Amino acid sequence: GRLYVNRVFHISAEKMFELLFTDSDFIRRFMSERKITGMVATPWKKDSSGGQRRTLNYTITISNPLIGKFSTATETQAMNKDSQEGQYYLVDAEVFTHDVPYHDYFYTLNRYCIIRSSRRRCRLRIYTDVKYKKQPWGLVKSFITKNSWSGLEDYFRHLETELLEEEAELNQGSGDP
Ligand code: YK8
């Protein structure tokens, strides 16, 4: 896998969790910029492992003539039971894109880690991996891998940029750099 984001933000861990994993204005704006539409999310709910879980359904816009224009997607987010409010959050998100070619071969695992570093600071790490449910033919596999990495890199680079903007807005005039 790859580590796409690894940086300290001048945003508390709680606030970072709220921005990324609740129905925040921030994530709504970001989704609309990414042309991700029709978002439906279940509330966070306790699961059998002692953690919490929620499921998101949405439509992504791809606009790649080889792949298609749109795809529906399902994302299951599982918050690890060791997560501690305000201190440490670990969320594993599995994303299945249902309408792209070879969709039954692969999915994406995004691991988000938010660690408190001080009252108003946290470190965000986002690790992603392309997982195979069955082994495709070599050429197909490299096609899937190449397209997935470039899409993921673009997405997370944009997310990081938007988070830096949000950080600047949140801290504007706080007198606490
Ligand atoms: C989530 C991973 C692969 C997929 C896409 C499929 C290519 C298929 C290649 C061959 C279009 C928001 C991606 C990037 C779409 C976007 C997904 C997002 C960014 C077989 C034709 C959607 C995070 C996420 C996870 C996986 C991404 C897809 O929050 O290349």
Side-chain angles (χ1 to χ4, degrees):
R2 298 187 188 178
L3 193 60
Y4 273 126
V5 179
N6 181 20
R7 137 190 319 267
V8 174
F9 290 90
H10 191 229
I11 297 176
S12 71
E14 271 138 312
K15 183 72 185 174
M16 184 61 84
F17 180 82
E18 183 197 314
L19 292 176
L20 297 177
F21 296 108
T22 68
D23 185 26
S24 63
D25 288 345
F26 171 81
I27 205 74
R28 268 194 255 169
R29 222 182 314 124
F30 182 66
M31 293 300 184
S32 94
E33 277 181 40
R34 298 301 305 181
K35 299 199 174 70
I36 293 177
T37 59
M39 166 76 73
V40 178
T42 65
W44 284 103
K45 257 213 174 108
K46 285 243 155 62
D47 68 13
S48 52
S49 71
Q52 295 189 56
R53 212 169 254 281
R54 67 170 191 160
T55 304
L56 316 178
N57 280 290
Y58 46 79
T59 301
I60 55 173
T61 305
I62 305 166
S63 328
N64 177 328
L66 292 175
I67 300 171
K69 282 191 174 147
F70 303 102
S71 175
T72 57
T74 304
E75 174 165 349
T76 307
Q77 298 178 343
M79 178 158 53
N80 188 291
K81 67 166 169 34
D82 299 324
S83 298
Q84 279 184 25
E85 220 191 314
Q87 298 289 328
Y88 172 73
Y89 303 82
L90 183 64
V91 177
D92 276 346
E94 290 181 344
V95 182
F96 294 82
T97 44
H98 305 300
D99 308 306
V100 300
Y102 309 106
H103 59 89
D104 47 338
Y105 282 89
F106 74 101
Y107 65 96
T108 307
L109 174 69
N110 301 139
R111 174 165 285 178
Y112 297 81
C113 186
I114 303 170
I115 309 160
R116 178 194 150 116
S117 49
S118 74
R119 199 159 64 87
R120 293 178 193 279
R121 282 188 180 77
C122 72
R123 177 176 293 276
L124 174 66
R125 284 208 189 100
I126 306 174
Y127 162 92
T128 100
D129 205 2
V130 180
K131 299 277 192 188
Y132 288 89
K133 287 186 273 181
K134 45 185 184 184
Q135 281 306 313
W137 185 45
L139 206 65
V140 169
K141 189 171 180 177
S142 69
F143 187 48
I144 295 172
T145 309
K146 193 172 143 274
N147 277 285
S148 298
W149 286 131
S150 71
L152 286 159
E153 175 164 12
D154 190 53
Y155 181 86
F156 286 117
R157 193 180 289 159
H158 187 187
L159 181 65
E160 184 167 23
T161 307
E162 294 294 318
L163 280 170
L164 287 168
E165 261 174 46
E166 184 72 15
E167 171 186 60
E169 266 170 49
L170 288 170
N171 296 308
Q172 200 176 10
S174 74
D176 181 16

